[in-house]
Each structure stands twice: as structure tokens, then as C-alpha cells.
């Protein structure tokens, strides 16, 4: 079992910044990649969209909308994972989830709300 806890959401104006963090606990040795997903208002769980991921070796990947504005980081495999979000837009509004896999099992945090107002 892996437990994920996010923090750092909030409300900002267009163009502002937020930094989200995700702390993993439990059987973290099996984690190969930590990911951030988001769910826009009015969309269901099945419509969550991938934002960014970072592997245990530090390889990063981003969805096109996040490239150049968001940065995922993790100091080491046991450290929190951060998502620095700059130049936020109203369409970035949603609940942001930390997610990982351990074998065939997927684990999600409870989510943290990000609201960007224009």
C-alpha cells in the first residue's frame, strides 16, 4: 500500500504561481514514477488529464499545456514531489491529484484545489 498526501493548492489570479507538493508513504520502494493529474470542474474521474511525471531516475515528462509553465521536481526517491506552476491561466483551474503505481495497483491522493481567476 502507498499513501499520497497533496498540499499547496489555493486561489491565484491569472498569471500567478502556485507550488503543489505530494508526500508518499508506505511501500514506496516499488514506485517507479510519480505523476500529477488534474480534473477540471464539471468533469468526471475518467476525464482526469495527465499533467507531468518524474521517474525515480529523474526523467521528466509533461503534457503540452504544461511544458514551459510547470516544473515537476523531486530531490530524491524519498523526498516530496513538487509541481511548480507559473503563468497560471483560468483553464488550469481544477483539482490536482498526485498519483503513482506499485505493481498493478494505482494510488491516488485526495487532491488539492487550484483556482485561477481572470
Amino acid at each position: 500500500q502507498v499513501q499520497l498526501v497533496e498540499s499547496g493548492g489555493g486561489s491565484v489570479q491569472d498569471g500567478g504561481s502556485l507550488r503543489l507538493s505530494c508526500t508518499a508513504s508506505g511501500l514506496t520502494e516499488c514506485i517507479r514514477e510519480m505523476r500529477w493529474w488534474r480534473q477540471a470542474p464539471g468533469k468526471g474521474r475518467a476525464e482526469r488529464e495527465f499533467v507531468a511525471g518524474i521517474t525515480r531516475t529523474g526523467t521528466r515528462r509533461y503534457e503540452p499545456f504544461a511544458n514551459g509553465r510547470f516544473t515537476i521536481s523531486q530531490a530524491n526517491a524519498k523526498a516530496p514531489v513538487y509541481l511548480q506552476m507559473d503563468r497560471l491561466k483560468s483553464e488550469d483551474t481544477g483539482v490536482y491529484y498526485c498519483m503513482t503505481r506499485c505493481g498493478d495497483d494505482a494510488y491516488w491522493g485526495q487532491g488539492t484545489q487550484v483556482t485561477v481567476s481572470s
Side-chain angles (χ1 to χ4, degrees), residues 39-45 47 93-95:
Q39 185 171 336
K43 302 270 183 144
R45 182 186 177 109
E47 297 168 287
T93 293
V95 180

Side-chain angles (χ1 to χ4, degrees), residues 80-100:
V81 177
Y82 296 102
L83 184 68
Q84 176 67 40
M85 304 188 294
D86 299 315
R87 292 184 280 135
L88 283 162
K89 308 173 184 178
S90 56
E91 50 262 46
D92 295 318
T93 293
V95 180
Y96 283 68
Y97 295 90
C98 184
M99 177 266 181
T100 193

Side-chain angles (χ1 to χ4, degrees), residues 45-109:
R45 182 186 177 109
E47 297 168 287
R48 289 180 184 175
E49 58 180 347
F50 175 77
V51 178
I54 185 166
T55 68
R56 181 177 287 270
T57 57
T59 301
R60 297 170 174 81
R61 57 187 179 118
Y62 299 94
E63 274 297 279
F65 66 79
N67 230 344
R69 297 191 300 127
F70 296 1
T71 304
I72 189 169
S73 64
Q74 184 180 28
N76 57 64
K78 294 186 182 298
V81 177
Y82 296 102
L83 184 68
Q84 176 67 40
M85 304 188 294
D86 299 315
R87 292 184 280 135
L88 283 162
K89 308 173 184 178
S90 56
E91 50 262 46
D92 295 318
T93 293
V95 180
Y96 283 68
Y97 295 90
C98 184
M99 177 266 181
T100 193
R101 288 194 171 275
C102 183
D104 293 332
D105 298 321
Y107 296 93
W108 295 83

Side-chain angles (χ1 to χ4, degrees), residues 28-41:
T28 58
E29 291 77 13
C30 61
I31 293 173
R32 294 293 174 263
E33 183 183 33
M34 295 291 291
R35 303 168 187 168
W36 285 98
W37 291 70
R38 69 184 187 184
Q39 185 171 336

